[in-house]
Amino acid sequence: MSSSVEAITVLSSDGDEFKITVSAAKLSKPLNWMLEDVCFSDDCDEVPTIEVNSKTLVKVIEYCEKHAPRANSGASDSDAEELKKWDIEFMKMDVKDILFHILMAANYLHMEGLYDLACQTAADLMKGMTVSQIRKIFHIKNDFSSEEQEQLRRQHPGCSFD
Amino acid sequence: MENEKRSHICLLDLPESHLDCVLKHLSPQELCIMSEACSVLRKRCSGDDLWEEHIKRKWGPVIGEVVYNEWKWHIASAKEDNTLRIYQNGSLGTFSGDWPFLSLGSYLDDSEMLRGSLSNYFMKSLYFSVESGKFWFPAQIYRANRFLCCHHGLLSYDSETDSFQARKQSGGWELIGKSIGWDKVRATPVETPPNALHVSHLSNLKPGDHIEIQFRTSRQTFYDWWHATIEHLETCNEHGNHCGCDQSEVVVVEFKQYSPVVSQMRRLVLTKNNYQEHDDGMGRLFGGIRKIHSQQQIDTWKSLFAQPYLRTYHNLLEFDPSLFISAT
C-alpha cells in the first residue's frame, strides 16, 4: 500500500462522495478491504460504493475519525473516559431519526463498538416508558384483543402498564 | 412527505437478530412493558435466550440444569392439563399430608399463571415463578448444626428480602429456615438425584485435592455432601512431587471438621477400585465423591469452617471426644 495515500473517496448508496482517512477506515474490515483494493488497483480512478445512505454515512465516518487515534495506538484511561462522553453526545444529537440506520450500517461494516452503542441507545429510548408511550415513539400499532391484553397484565405481576 | 416517512424510527423493521441485541439491554420489567405493545414484540420479548440471561444474572449461583429439568416437568403438566396428575394447586403432592414424597423434585405452589400462553415461554415463566416465590426449586443449603455439610433441599425466593426459605426432606418437608442468605445456598452441582449414589472415579484423586463426599446415616434418607481433603498414606514419607500415593490402591480422605483427637472419625481409607457405598461400622455411610475444581467453592468451605459457632464446637470436642462420637 502506498504510504502517500492518506484518505480515500467513497460513494454512499445515494451517490454522494465522502472522504475517509486511511486510519479511520481501519476501524471497519470491509472499509479496510476496499481501501486496499483502491490502493493496489491499477485503475485508481474507480470510487468504491458503500451501501449506506448519505445521512448515515456522515455519522459513521464522524465516528470512525473520532475513534481512529485510540483504536490505532491505544489510549490512556482518561482518553477512554473522554471518548465515552463523546459517544453519548454523538448519539444524543438529531441522530435519533437514523439510529436504526446506524445500527444496520455498523453491522454491515463490522463495527462492533458502534453497533453496541447503537443497541444500547435504542434500548435507552425504551426505558422508563409506559406501553402507550412505547407505541407512540416507535409507531407500533396495538394488535391485541382486550382479552389478550388482560391476560398479559395477569402474566406480568409487578409491572405497571399505564 | 416521503422524507418524513423515512425518518421514522421503525423498530419492527429491524431484522430479528438486531432487535434481539437491542432487547438484551432491557430489564425484566422493561421487557414486560415492551411485550405489551404488540404481538410481534410479545414474541420477541419473551424469548428463552433473553430470559435465561436474566435468570443467570439474578439466580445463577442457585439455578442450573437440575432446576431447568424440573421446570420442564411443570411446563409439560400445565400443557397437558391432566387433572389426575395435577393437584389442586397444580403441583405434584403437597409438603404435608399424605404425600411426603421422597422423590418430590420440586414444588409449584400455584400453577394458575402457567395456564395461559406463558407456558409457551419456558425461561420467562420460570423467571416469574421463582421471582414470586411460588416455585420451590431443588438446590443445596450449607448448614452447621452438628456438622458442617451441604443438604439437599427445596428453596423458595423472597424478593422483598432477597433471601430464601428452605425445606428439607425428613419424613415430610419441614421448613428449615427463612431469610437464608446467598452465602448459605448453592445450585445442585451434580445431576445425580439426592438419594442416588454419585458415580465417582477415585483413581483421579491425589493428595491435596479438595473433595465433597456424599454422607448419610440411613439408607432411607437423602445424601448430604461433606467437605474433605485427600491426604497422604500413613506409610508415605515423601510430601513432594515424588510421592507415590496416587499409585496406591487406596485413597485417604480426611474430614477437617473432626478434631485430630478423634482420628478414627477424622480419617477414612477407601479402596479405589469398584468403589461402592462405604459403611464405616460406626453408623456412617459414605457415598460418591466429587472433586472440587473451583477455587471459589473451596474458599466457601474454608470460610464456613472459620465461623465462630463451629470453632466453639471444635474446642469442645478436643476436650470430650465422646461427645462428638455420640453426636453421630
Side-chain angles (χ1 to χ4, degrees), chain A residues 8-12 15-20 31 34 47-50 57 61:
Chain A
I8 55 163
T9 305
V10 292
L11 285 179
S12 72
D16 297 324
E17 279 192 5
F18 291 91
K19 277 220 178 307
I20 179 164
L31 273 182
M34 282 179 199
V47 179
T49 305
I50 296 172
L57 193 55
I61 291 176

Side-chain angles (χ1 to χ4, degrees), chain B residues 109 128-136 156-159 165:
Chain B
D109 221 0
F128 280 113
S129 300
V130 174
E131 172 74 17
S132 64
K134 288 179 175 157
F135 183 45
W136 290 79
S156 155
Y157 179 68
D158 180 354
S159 57
Q165 297 187 65

